[in-house]
Amino acid sequence: MKLTAELKRERLVAIVRGISREQAGFVGEGLVQGGIRFMEVTMNTDGALPMIQAWRERYDGQVYVGAGTVLDVDMAKNAVAAGAQFLISPNTDLAVIEYALEQGVDVWPGAMTPTEIVAAHAAGAEIIKLFPAASLGISFIKELQGPLGHIPLLATGGATLENLGDYYAAGAVAVGLGSALLSKEALASGAQDEITKQAVAFVEAARLK
């Protein structure tokens, strides 16, 4: 699909969950100024659809804005209508994958087991979100490379600045970042500069690995 090569090049997805509409302003600016190019707004965030729409309009051509925690086709339809350029799920729902492919929208569904990973890939998803990567562990990613090295993985959960390189070395083509990128302290205090600083650090780390 359109964004697969871009994600492999950028290697990072910022996961934005549970922020307010007021916070969306400085969070978006902080991430963009820090060099983040993929911003995922989870659908269980209040005001997720207006946030996706606003970021698409504000940052069009600068970043890719998508929807996360897309659990069914109705959610997928609402996200695409709001302007989502990619869909990410914690699970493998074949109907969501089929809808996204029909719409020409990139879809990176979640999977945990080899069976789910293969099924999601066979259904047409070009990159599979490995979740929960924190619980599965970096060694699990590495073990998958033997039989399933041909399936690109977006590892989500547990990545930090200190271990980011380990995720890539184990075989992940990209990593999803939540609280490690957007700390509770920065969100609470409105510290846009701190968000930018952390984003820069992750972007630079991803390029070095």
Side-chain angles (χ1 to χ4, degrees), residues 5-206:
E6 281 288 319
L7 179 57
K8 287 180 178 179
R9 187 159 46 245
E10 294 295 329
R11 309 183 84 185
L12 298 171
V13 177
I15 302 166
V16 181
R17 184 190 305 276
I19 67 171
S20 66
R21 189 170 297 189
E22 291 73 32
Q23 290 172 318
F26 69 82
V27 168
E29 285 296 316
L31 291 174
V32 173
Q33 290 180 21
I36 294 293
R37 293 294 170 259
F38 283 87
M39 304 199 309
E40 165 197 343
V41 181
T42 66
M43 291 292 282
N44 57 356
T45 295
D46 287 341
L49 296 174
M51 203 177 297
I52 291 170
Q53 190 169 16
W55 280 356
R56 272 302 312 276
E57 292 171 359
R58 184 173 181 86
Y59 303 118
D60 192 39
Q62 292 179 271
V63 298
Y64 301 106
V65 181
T69 319
V70 179
L71 301 177
D72 55 44
V73 173
D74 283 342
M75 293 174 82
K77 288 179 178 178
N78 289 334
V80 171
Q85 293 166 286
F86 58 88
L87 304 176
I88 298 181
S89 307
N91 62 312
T92 295
D93 186 313
L94 299 181
V96 169
I97 297 173
E98 182 181 8
Y99 171 77
L101 295 177
E102 287 173 356
Q103 298 299 310
V105 174
D106 289 80
V107 58
W108 304 318
M112 184 174 78
T113 67
T115 299
E116 292 169 343
I117 292 168
V118 171
H121 190 251
E126 294 188 356
I127 293 178
I128 311 303
K129 168 182 168 176
L130 183 68
F131 178 78
S135 301
L136 295 167
I138 291 170
S139 60
F140 185 79
I141 301 171
K142 194 170 185 178
E143 286 183 65
L144 289 173
Q145 297 313 300
L148 303 180
H150 61 292
I151 301 179
L153 297 177
L154 164 63
T156 301
T160 64
L161 268 177
E162 290 70 32
N163 68 13
L164 186 66
D166 297 332
Y167 276 77
Y168 296 136
V173 301
V175 172
L177 300 168
S179 57
L181 180 60
L182 295 169
S183 72
K184 289 180 180 177
E185 293 77 19
L187 291 175
S189 62
Q192 180 180 314
D193 56 336
E194 278 301 312
I195 293 173
T196 296
K197 183 179 174 182
Q198 191 74 342
V200 167
F202 269 107
V203 169
E204 290 180 348

